[in-house]
Amino acid sequence: MADKLRTQQQLESLQNKYIGTGHADTTKHEWLSNIARDSYSSYQGHPSLLSYMAIGMGKCEERVRAECMEKMVLPVGPKPEVEQG
Amino acid sequence: MAHVQQTQSFYSLTLEAPSAPIAAVTCNAIPGLKSQDQQIFEARGQRLYLHRITENEDRTEVKVSTVLEQNVFGVIRGVTAFRIPGTATDQLVVASDSGRMAMFNYDADHNTLKQVHLETFGKSGIRRTVPGQYLVSDPRGRCLLLASTEKNKVVYMVNRQPDSSVRISSPHEANQWASLCFGVCALDTGWEHPVFAALEVDYAEADADSSGAEYERREKHLVYYTVDLGLNHVVKSWSDIVDYSANKVFAVPGGQDGPSGVVVCAEGRIYYCHDKSAPLSIPIPRRSGPTEDPQRTRIIVSGCLHLSKARHEFFFLLQTEDGDVFKLTLDIEEDAQGRKTSPPSGMNLKYYETFPVGKALLLIRKGYIFVAAEHGDSKLYHVNDLAEDLEFEPWNNFSSDSVSADPADPYTPTYFTPRGLVFTSLAVSRPSLHPLMKTKVENLTGEDAPQIYALQGTGNRSLFKTIRHGLEVSEIVSSPLGNIPFDNLWSLKHRASDEFHAYLLLSSTYGDKTIVLSIGDEVETMEESPFMTNRATVSAQTMGDATLVQVHARGVLSILESGALNEWPAPAHRTIVAASANKRQLLLGLSSSELAFFYMSEDGVLQQLEEMPEMSGKITAVGVAATPRGQKQAKFGVVGCDDCTIRVLSIDTDTPLEAKSVQALSDVPTSIEVVQMRDPQANTTIDYVHIGLASGLYLRATIDEVTGELGEVRTKFLGARPIRLFPVQVQSEQAVLACSSRSWLGYNHPQTSLYTLTPLVADQLEAARPFVSEHLRGMCAVQGQNLLIFSVEGVEGRLSSKAVPLQYTPRAMSRNPWYPLWYVVESEGNTLSRATKRQLIAAAKTKAEGQNGMKVETGEKNGVKTEAEDDAEAEELERHLGLSRAPGHWASCIQVIDPLATAAVSTIELTENEAALCTTVVAFESKEWEVYLAVGTGQHLKPGEPVTGDAPKGFVHIYRLSEEGRRMELTPFPTPIYALHPFVGRLAIGVGNELFIYDLGIKSLLRKTRGTVVPNLLTNITSQGHRLVCADVSESLTYVVYKPAPINRLLPFADDTVNRWTTALALLDYETCAAADKFGNLFVLRCPPQASSEADAPGLLPATAAAASSSSTSNRAGYLGGTAHRLDLRAHLATPDIATSLTRASLQPGGGDSLIVSSLHGTLSLLVPLPSRSDAEFFSQLESLLRLENPGVAGREHLGFRSAYVPVKGVVDGDLCEWFMGLKYDAKAKVAGELERESREVGRKISEARGRVAF
């Protein structure tokens, strides 16, 4: 039992430290949001990828970066309603 | 570990480093320079650069020279520079993908970056929560902050220790769960506690709410983080809601210089915010004009602060996304001491200039503005005026009076009219290649080496470039010499100590004559000269103090300073065939294979050595080492004979003509020069023998100072003609010019200090010599029938290019198979087409005229003057200002480019909101192989937006290639067309996920067959025989075989196991494909032999046949939702740049084929197949040894960097191997020792690996 508690605590500390560490009840929406946030962060972090997208979109890189940031707020829309009961 | 040997390994080499700036800051890193003399610290790709701006006294010549270039083997994301109080130079800090903060000092003695600190704070890689996206430093140099896009921020405090070392604190974290960081800056607080300001959005509530209402209520905060230096921690000290669209913050000077606080830039507005005063706001003025959308708002993309600490004055220069730069000033009351530190009462903007959109805008204290341009050449502008006079262009002044600082309140937009440069002038434009959209390697001009044809740039600053490997030559004088072909020339000084040349001798073996020209203010023929003119000259030299020596076939004529002539006749029945001299010694080769040696005594008389040793074969070339500085005589002479040998002889007067060593060659030596050049490793000068062979091969070897043995032989094939060598001076460094079918310059590269051979971009030269006169400093040469005087401008770059301007962002190109013509398709999203623009301007004109008939000023096109004048002027201005944007509109055209004439021959504008996306030249079998141009387009495309409503459609246009390029056909398709390829006399078209084969009919394209071949969207096709390779937008490659009639089907038979977002594709051979993806990976895929042979067997594929018999109608019968077979991955490499074109070609005559990769940020690189197993083993061993030497100065592990997405496979990083050349002596010896080789031998192998295939 103590072992189980310890594992639980370790998992919690991991979840606190690293965003995106899953748990047994991770929903599809959580998982998707997480992946999408990672992706948007990666797009602006890799300079050549940001240029590639900016040229494709016909915008300047700073605007594309700001848009990527903004998409990170709620990348895949609000989470679905959970049915009570 | 067992060493697994690949069947084929590749060696990756960078030919041209990326030119796209990632970040740039000004700094004072070089010790001993004035604080005015700021340098630029710039990051491009994986390299760091330190540039200096040098100018002459009256500032007419300005240069940006690169002091340092360092490859860090990691993705650089940000740089900053700051001065720790009490230290002499700036510390340079780099944020990369290493999860570490790297701090450097510039080490001027060794010209390297010296690592001061390397602190780990997180995982490696570019991750959401690992800091590195933002990097800022406190203006007073006390601490620095790195932030990630989400949650994490880390602060390091730095200070100087009494022993003048730099101490760094442990990291202080300021993490906030679920908060996104949009921008960071370091506040100027004077000497109070440092404060960092961040723009943050908390998404916790929006994430938890399923109704979406919380998302609508989200807010952006300006948060202050105070670094408490006393308590040694970081606290969130203040936070306020700001405009939700804010994207950038700049710090306002504080302390004695200003009120402190931040300038927050948002969509359409700029705010001033601080915890001690009320916010202010000013709208960003919008462009006015009939072609501008008055509702469109701009954001600020870059900016810089100018602070005069002496006068406590400051202003900002802020650049919008259109490139317009505004000067921002604050209205501040002066306090009792005359300081402007009270809260500001207003903000003012003044339109300053329009520059190319910058990644960074730097104001340099010397009076320059450096724009590190996002696209195209980075530019340095000279500042003539800082727009301090408000009376000048008063309509361009804007103020914040009566503008509410509440983002929710509406504001009245302000407008201005952009114009050409007024306050600044262009000083330097640094050549660049980014963004490189497409390249093709072709030899259209019949030169020795192929040219690279490139599409570069975006918008109307796009260019079509012809890139050559070579140095640009600026021709000063070219004057005809008459009908007699001259084959050699000499420039002589009258006295050895003279600065300028006095005589120019031109010799013609054919005409057996010499002409003498005098060099003064002008170069004129000397009628009365002491030289012998009725014979061809073999050699000429100023010897001793002032004796002019002319060697001709029948003897040696020496002209003493007194004017007296001394003649030494050649022995009877013998002629002089070769000669070489330095200041004191003269060596002659006679037709009888004898060698004659002369020594010049102090009185200027040549003394002959009695002995005339006979050589083993006919003498073809001799070379004498130049007299070493401070000595009377050189030690060695080199003689080449027609038995393919060269001999090193001592020419010391003590042991004259004593044989020292012999070296066998592959061909007859035609020219030998012994030149003293700087040895970059030892920093001393050593003698190098340069040997040119009749076969066009060039060799360079060192002579051992004691034994006279030749060592370190390097060879290179230069051209098809026998080589002739000429020692010259380039930028006061010794160099060698080798003339073959091309002329090559051999010099020590100023940055790498490696010996480099680069061709000159000039017609074939016969001979060349240095030429120094009072007005000119360059070289003179015989070029065909002309005497050419020229200079080599710079030896820093190795590529030269010619550019043709294009109208819009180029997307694809295709060449005419018969003529040197290129067809370029261009399209620009969210931009008004030319026709719409004309309409709008005409409408505005009639409206204005209708109103009051006054003189109209309509921004980009002002409607007075004659129309032609007006058009040309407007076009130039439009090129400067950029295209007019309008959402939902497309501008697109097809241009025919003649690269030889460097001009656009014809232009066809597309209408109906179409965008040209791809093109190919195709010969239709049914039209008797007549050649047509096919252009694939998309209509109503929405870049970067999900497809809704009016879905985009596509067309294929077919043009007949005639004088006017008439359009013949227009075939509609349901989706945009991204891929076209000629396929056995027909046209292969990618439509969505389907591949179609079309033939050309009378009225339209006729569909012959179709097949669903890829999962999503076909973006690229290539083919060989009946095999097609198709690239999907996200799911790698699919091999497809076309089964001709009667089966007439397209059958996919092999695909990949992983997703790859393919951007470029090239066939290496029938089975193998090289491709690149969006994340910067390069990979080689090969079809398994069984699948390949099955596909080529007649009849249906076994799998398809089985599926057909089991009543399935689909021809995608396969395995696990794909095709029947899977491709093998043969090689994989991650680069930080996205490849846009791959070509298999040979860049050099005699060199083997390699894969030429051109990437978006302007990288040109190669994947060279390693020819032998032993080479592959050697280089991979060298690579793994060098990895241990810690090449990643920014803290990134090399193996991790090259395996960012997929483990590196079958590729040796040539850049890392070449890094060996720059290692210190002992590190080199250590690595070479592990390889059980000499370090010189390792160096030779590395330079040969490059020299064999490329430059």
Side-chain angles (χ1 to χ4, degrees):
Chain A
M1 197 61 210
D3 257 12
K4 203 172 178 187
L5 193 67
R6 186 127 142 236
T7 320
Q8 185 68 28
Q9 281 172 344
Q10 275 177 348
L11 189 63
E12 263 170 26
S13 87
L14 271 179
Q15 277 159 351
N16 240 330
K17 199 167 172 193
Y18 302 112
I19 298 170
T21 313
H23 51 89
D25 300 324
T26 305
T27 63
K28 183 184 176 187
H29 177 261
E30 278 169 19
W31 185 82
L32 277 176
S33 315
N34 200 31
I35 295 290
R37 285 200 182 106
D38 279 342
S39 304
Y40 283 120
S41 181
S42 175
Y43 300 157
Q44 38 181 314
H46 288 91
S48 53
L49 197 53
L50 186 65
S51 304
Y52 190 85
M53 295 184 147
I55 293 168
M57 293 160 81
K59 295 175 181 171
C60 71
E61 288 177 23
E62 174 62 23
R63 192 175 270 276
V64 177
R65 189 195 72 82
E67 283 175 7
C68 281
M69 272 318 298
E70 178 50 35
K71 290 257 178 68
M72 284 175 74
V73 177
L74 204 59
V76 289
K79 78 172 192 185
E81 296 273 356
V82 187
E83 281 186 30
Q84 300 296 317
Chain B
M1 198 187 77
H3 186 70
V4 180
Q5 179 62 49
Q6 281 283 319
T7 44
Q8 177 64 63
S9 300
F10 292 92
Y11 185 72
S12 82
L13 265 178
T14 301
L15 296 183
E16 186 72 5
S19 56
I22 288 163
V25 287
T26 51
C27 64
N28 283 305
I30 302 178
L33 293 182
K34 278 189 210 146
S35 70
Q36 292 288 314
D37 196 356
Q38 285 173 309
Q39 299 101 52
I40 301 166
F41 184 49
E42 191 186 17
R44 296 189 211 150
Q46 47 175 319
R47 286 173 172 81
L48 293 171
Y49 293 84
L50 195 61
H51 305 298
R52 257 193 85 178
I53 297 166
T54 47
E55 54 195 7
N56 65 351
E57 268 168 25
D58 56 352
R59 287 195 163 187
T60 46
E61 281 175 33
V62 187
K63 261 205 234 166
V64 180
S65 56
T66 304
V67 181
L68 170 91
E69 175 182 347
Q70 185 142 357
N71 195 334
V72 303
F73 296 101
V75 181
I76 303 171
R77 303 167 73 189
V79 292
T80 186
F82 65 99
R83 174 74 59 88
I84 299 172
T87 53
T89 56
D90 281 4
Q91 309 289 322
L92 309 171
V93 181
V94 176
S96 69
D97 60 345
S98 63
R100 290 160 161 194
M101 186 275 309
M103 196 192 285
F104 300 102
N105 250 338
Y106 175 68
D107 181 353
D109 295 340
H110 300 100
N111 192 27
T112 52
L113 289 180
K114 199 174 84 197
Q115 207 173 63
V116 181
H117 283 289
L118 185 65
E119 297 295 321
T120 309
F121 53 73
K123 287 186 181 182
S124 64
I126 293 167
R127 290 163 204 267
R128 170 152 64 121
T129 54
V130 177
Q133 178 73 29
Y134 307 102
L135 168 66
V136 287
S137 56
D138 176 49
R140 310 277 159 165
R142 297 168 294 176
C143 53
L144 54 106
L145 173 133
L146 290 118
S148 61
T149 47
E150 183 173 329
K151 193 185 128 188
N152 289 38
K153 285 182 189 66
V154 51
V155 175
Y156 286 99
M157 296 169 204
V158 284
N159 51 42
R160 192 179 70 103
Q161 293 292 94
D163 62 348
S164 78
S165 65
V166 174
R167 199 184 71 100
I168 190 157
S169 73
S170 51
H172 297 279
E173 294 193 343
N175 299 347
Q176 176 97 33
W177 182 266
S179 92
L180 299 170
C181 180
F182 281 68
V184 184
C185 76
L187 243 66
D188 188 347
T189 54
W191 293 107
E192 284 167 37
H193 290 309
V195 174
F196 293 101
L199 290 171
E200 290 184 356
V201 170
D202 191 320
Y203 70 74
E205 278 164 357
D207 221 17
D209 173 41
S210 57
S211 66
E214 283 298 332
Y215 176 69
E216 294 302 321
R217 278 200 291 273
R218 69 201 190 278
E219 286 167 343
K220 194 170 274 178
H221 292 261
L222 175 69
V223 183
Y224 277 9
Y225 289 95
T226 304
V227 182
D228 196 318
L229 294 172
L231 294 171
N232 216 16
H233 69 174
V234 184
V235 286
K236 189 172 166 178
S237 54
W238 180 68
S239 144
D240 191 19
I241 300 166
V242 290
D243 191 332
Y244 189 74
S245 59
N247 66 309
K248 243 182 157 55
V249 271
F250 293 97
V252 175
Q256 299 191 326
D257 305 318
S260 190
V262 287
V263 170
V264 176
C265 305
E267 176 102 39
R269 298 173 87 168
I270 298 172
Y271 298 85
Y272 168 81
C273 300
H274 193 35
D275 56 351
K276 295 189 183 64
S277 58
L280 296 168
S281 168
I282 186 167
I284 301 172
R286 305 172 188 177
R287 284 186 178 187
S288 65
T291 60
E292 290 293 336
D293 176 5
Q295 298 309 318
R296 190 164 71 91
T297 51
R298 275 81 172 168
I299 59 165
I300 298 294
V301 297
S302 61
C304 60
L305 167 75
H306 175 76
L307 169 66
S308 159
K309 287 206 169 161
R311 286 186 290 157
H312 303 305
E313 278 177 5
F314 66 91
F315 63 83
F316 289 91
L317 288 179
L318 300 174
Q319 189 177 36
T320 67
E321 59 193 314
D322 290 342
D324 302 325
V325 175
F326 293 93
K327 181 181 169 182
L328 173 74
T329 48
L330 298 181
D331 294 331
I332 306 163
E333 294 286 315
E334 282 188 20
D335 66 3
Q337 285 123 326
R339 289 192 205 132
K340 291 181 170 177
T341 54
S342 50
S345 56
M347 296 165 96
N348 301 299
L349 280 177
K350 185 174 178 69
Y351 169 59
Y352 188 61
E353 294 284 36
T354 301
F355 296 139
V357 176
K359 253 325 227 193
L361 191 69
L362 305 178
L363 193 79
I364 290 150
R365 282 202 204 108
K366 265 174 160 179
Y368 295 97
I369 292 174
F370 181 73
V371 183
E374 201 170 282
H375 299 143
D377 298 355
S378 292
K379 292 188 160 109
L380 187 76
Y381 293 92
H382 182 250
V383 178
N384 304 321
D385 190 337
L386 280 171
E388 259 149 10
D389 182 10
L390 289 177
E391 299 298 308
F392 186 78
E393 294 184 343
W395 56 86
N396 277 339
N397 298 337
F398 305 93
S399 99
S400 67
D401 297 346
S402 74
V403 180
S404 161
D406 185 352
D409 286 349
Y411 61 93
T412 338
T414 49
Y415 295 92
F416 75 102
T417 307
R419 48 156 167 75
L421 295 181
V422 168
F423 295 117
T424 60
S425 50
L426 182 65
V428 180
S429 177
R430 289 179 66 79
S432 66
L433 282 178
H434 72 281
L436 201 50
M437 309 296 280
K438 282 275 182 296
T439 57
K440 296 255 162 121
V441 182
E442 294 271 355
N443 195 349
L444 297 185
T445 51
E447 289 166 37
D448 278 7
Q451 306 88 48
I452 300 173
Y453 294 92
L455 298 179
Q456 189 210 339
T458 57
N460 58 0
R461 286 199 168 94
S462 308
L463 299 168
F464 176 93
K465 269 190 175 168
T466 309
I467 303 166
R468 284 181 178 85
H469 172 222
L471 296 170
E472 207 68 68
V473 158
S474 64
E475 192 180 299
I476 299 164
V477 180
S478 178
S479 65
L481 288 170
N483 292 330
I484 306 167
F486 286 92
D487 51 24
N488 210 337
L489 83 169
W490 292 267
S491 52
L492 301 179
K493 289 173 181 171
H494 184 66
R495 294 179 63 89
S497 54
D498 281 356
E499 194 185 339
F500 305 120
H501 288 120
Y503 308 103
L504 188 64
L505 268 68
L506 285 152
S507 152
S508 165
T509 319
Y510 173 80
D512 200 11
K513 73 178 254 188
T514 299
I515 54 172
V516 183
L517 309 175
S518 69
I519 303 171
D521 286 341
E522 282 172 42
V523 178
E524 304 164 314
T525 316
M526 265 174 97
E527 297 300 336
E528 303 267 318
S529 83
F531 294 99
M532 183 162 292
T533 54
N534 53 3
R535 285 229 173 84
T537 306
V538 175
S539 176
Q541 175 83 14
T542 311
M543 291 180 73
D545 288 335
T547 308
L548 300 166
V549 175
Q550 183 192 14
V551 181
H552 52 88
R554 311 296 269 135
V556 178
L557 176 72
S558 43
I559 303 149
L560 298 171
E561 196 179 12
S562 58
L565 301 182
N566 266 350
E567 177 108 44
W568 177 84
H573 312 301
R574 279 166 272 184
T575 53
I576 299 169
V577 291
S580 176
N582 60 21
K583 278 184 195 158
R584 295 270 167 207
Q585 293 140 308
L586 168 67
L587 203 57
L588 302 180
L590 302 184
S591 57
S592 56
S593 308
E594 284 163 312
L595 207 56
F597 176 67
F598 294 83
Y599 179 73
M600 180 161 282
S601 55
E602 290 299 327
D603 56 1
V605 178
L606 285 171
Q607 312 285 338
Q608 198 205 347
L609 184 77
E610 289 297 312
E611 191 189 344
M612 293 214 291
E614 201 168 322
M615 293 288 116
S616 57
K618 276 210 162 135
I619 295 169
T620 53
V622 292
V624 170
T627 314
R629 190 180 288 263
Q631 287 173 33
K632 281 215 165 143
Q633 43 188 344
K635 268 186 168 170
F636 302 112
V638 183
V639 181
C641 301
D642 70 347
D643 57 351
C644 303
T645 56
I646 55 164
R647 277 147 213 281
V648 179
L649 304 167
S650 162
I651 50 169
D652 216 318
T653 38
D654 302 335
T655 54
L657 301 188
E658 186 184 301
K660 287 284 187 185
S661 67
V662 188
Q663 171 90 38
L665 303 168
S666 61
D667 206 339
V668 180
T670 49
S671 180
I672 296 175
E673 287 293 338
V674 185
V675 176
Q676 268 199 338
M677 280 174 96
R678 202 164 46 82
D679 178 18
Q681 267 128 44
N683 226 350
T684 52
T685 54
I686 28 177
D687 281 338
Y688 286 98
V689 193
H690 301 262
I691 306 151
L693 303 187
S695 58
L697 210 61
Y698 160 86
L699 294 92
R700 187 182 81 132
T702 55
I703 308 186
D704 189 292
E705 236 176 279
V706 184
T707 59
E709 294 279 342
L710 297 181
E712 271 191 87
V713 185
R714 306 276 167 94
T715 59
K716 190 169 173 75
F717 177 72
L718 299 189
R721 292 208 327 163
I723 293 175
R724 299 173 71 196
L725 299 164
F726 304 94
V728 291
Q729 299 266 329
V730 172
Q731 296 187 339
S732 62
E733 286 270 345
Q734 190 67 44
V736 171
L737 197 95
C739 298
S740 178
S741 50
R742 274 198 285 178
S743 315
W744 296 69
L745 192 70
Y747 54 94
N748 285 328
H749 194 272
Q751 263 130 54
T752 59
S753 65
L754 294 175
Y755 184 71
T756 313
L757 271 170
T758 310
L760 298 180
V761 181
D763 287 343
Q764 188 178 318
L765 302 180
E766 295 294 326
R769 299 283 174 185
F771 183 92
V772 182
S773 76
E774 225 176 306
H775 314 289
L776 297 172
R777 192 168 280 271
M779 286 180 239
C780 53
V782 178
Q783 183 183 47
Q785 304 275 314
N786 293 327
L787 173 69
L788 179 73
I789 297 174
F790 67 98
S791 68
V792 175
E793 288 303 314
V795 292
E796 277 196 2
R798 297 186 305 152
L799 298 180
S800 61
S801 62
K802 273 187 192 165
V804 184
L806 302 175
Q807 288 185 3
Y808 312 116
T809 308
R811 306 285 166 172
M813 63 175 164
S814 182
R815 74 161 278 215
N816 187 309
W818 316 118
Y819 303 103
L821 288 178
W822 288 96
Y823 305 101
V824 179
V825 296
E826 301 154 34
S827 52
E828 190 75 46
N830 295 335
T831 299
L832 286 180
S833 72
R834 188 155 290 232
T836 320
K837 218 164 163 176
R838 286 224 181 92
Q839 262 175 25
L840 285 172
I841 290 162
K845 220 186 235 177
T846 45
K847 195 175 157 200
E849 277 164 9
Q851 269 174 2
N852 46 15
M854 261 170 57
K855 190 171 133 185
V856 195
E857 286 244 302
T858 53
E860 299 198 11
K861 304 216 170 192
N862 39 12
V864 273
K865 299 180 202 165
T866 68
E867 221 154 86
E869 232 179 278
D870 181 40
D871 271 5
E873 214 168 271
E875 205 152 290
E876 200 177 314
L877 186 64
E878 193 189 41
R879 200 160 269 284
H880 178 70
L881 299 176
L883 297 161
S884 311
R885 322 283 291 172
H889 287 260
W890 279 87
S892 180
C893 70
I894 304 163
Q895 286 195 300
V896 186
I897 306 289
D898 183 348
L900 306 187
T902 54
V905 181
S906 116
T907 305
I908 303 168
E909 290 275 344
L910 297 185
T911 51
E912 309 293 323
N913 220 17
E914 263 188 279
L917 301 170
C918 56
T919 181
T920 187
V921 168
V922 54
F924 284 103
E925 190 182 5
S926 58
K927 300 279 170 190
E928 286 164 349
W929 299 102
E930 199 186 331
V931 175
Y932 294 86
L933 179 74
V935 177
T937 67
Q939 194 180 26
H940 308 306
L941 290 172
K942 288 173 183 158
E945 279 172 43
V947 178
T948 48
D950 189 15
K953 284 192 272 304
F955 294 95
V956 172
H957 301 230
I958 300 285
Y959 293 89
R960 171 173 279 140
L961 299 182
S962 62
E963 287 288 303
E964 65 271 30
R966 194 160 51 82
R967 182 167 79 192
M968 286 192 55
E969 311 293 351
L970 181 66
T971 310
F973 286 93
T975 65
I977 307 298
Y978 289 98
L980 290 171
H981 191 73
F983 179 69
V984 287
R986 289 167 172 181
L987 182 63
I989 305 173
V991 183
N993 61 350
E994 283 183 298
L995 179 64
F996 287 72
I997 306 289
Y998 272 84
D999 205 343
L1000 186 61
I1002 294 167
K1003 281 194 168 165
S1004 71
L1005 287 168
L1006 307 171
R1007 190 169 77 214
K1008 292 299 170 190
T1009 186
R1010 68 191 289 181
T1012 307
V1013 294
V1014 295
N1016 304 309
L1017 175 66
L1018 220 165
T1019 55
N1020 221 326
I1021 309 170
T1022 180
S1023 73
Q1024 186 174 357
H1026 278 172
R1027 178 171 294 181
L1028 294 130
V1029 182
C1030 302
D1032 185 56
V1033 68
S1034 69
E1035 301 204 16
S1036 194
L1037 310 180
T1038 308
Y1039 281 51
V1040 180
V1041 64
Y1042 172 65
K1043 296 288 181 185
I1047 302 171
N1048 195 26
R1049 279 170 82 175
L1050 288 162
L1051 304 173
F1053 65 93
D1055 63 8
D1056 201 357
T1057 48
V1058 223
N1059 280 6
R1060 301 180 203 276
W1061 297 69
T1062 322
T1063 54
L1065 170 65
L1067 267 181
L1068 292 184
D1069 62 32
Y1070 190 55
E1071 258 97 43
T1072 322
C1073 248
D1077 77 8
K1078 247 183 223 190
F1079 303 104
N1081 297 307
L1082 292 174
F1083 45 90
V1084 175
L1085 295 169
R1086 189 172 172 87
C1087 178
Q1090 192 209 344
S1092 181
S1093 59
E1094 259 177 25
D1096 287 348
L1100 283 176
L1101 300 179
T1104 324
S1109 64
S1110 66
S1111 79
S1112 157
T1113 49
S1114 145
N1115 57 10
R1116 276 187 65 82
Y1119 177 60
L1120 293 178
T1123 57
H1125 299 275
R1126 296 289 177 262
L1127 300 169
D1128 292 339
L1129 179 70
R1130 287 307 175 95
H1132 198 283
L1133 176 77
T1135 59
D1137 204 351
I1138 300 170
T1140 50
S1141 287
L1142 302 173
T1143 322
R1144 187 194 140 164
S1146 164
L1147 274 183
Q1148 175 163 294
D1153 272 10
S1154 45
L1155 185 70
I1156 300 158
V1157 184
S1158 69
S1159 314
L1160 191 70
H1161 273 181
T1163 319
L1164 286 177
S1165 54
L1166 284 182
L1167 275 189
V1168 189
L1170 283 171
S1172 69
R1173 180 170 277 237
S1174 65
D1175 267 10
E1177 268 170 17
F1178 169 79
F1179 283 114
S1180 62
Q1181 212 183 344
L1182 174 67
E1183 189 192 30
S1184 49
L1185 286 169
L1186 286 171
R1187 275 187 192 135
L1188 302 176
E1189 295 296 314
N1190 195 14
V1193 285
R1196 182 69 159 142
E1197 293 243 350
H1198 179 264
L1199 194 60
F1201 168 60
R1202 287 300 181 199
S1203 315
Y1205 294 91
V1206 173
V1208 62
K1209 183 180 182 184
V1211 183
V1212 176
D1213 186 2
D1215 293 348
L1216 179 63
C1217 292
E1218 289 187 346
W1219 179 71
F1220 173 85
M1221 310 285 224
L1223 282 181
K1224 292 214 174 75
Y1225 182 79
D1226 45 346
K1228 262 186 186 174
K1230 190 179 135 209
V1231 171
E1234 298 258 1
L1235 289 164
E1236 295 173 355
R1237 281 170 203 258
E1238 291 260 335
S1239 78
R1240 285 185 185 282
E1241 197 188 341
V1242 176
R1244 184 181 60 86
K1245 272 197 91 102
I1246 294 167
S1247 62
E1248 260 178 19
R1250 177 183 277 267
R1252 203 170 52 227
V1253 287
F1255 34 87

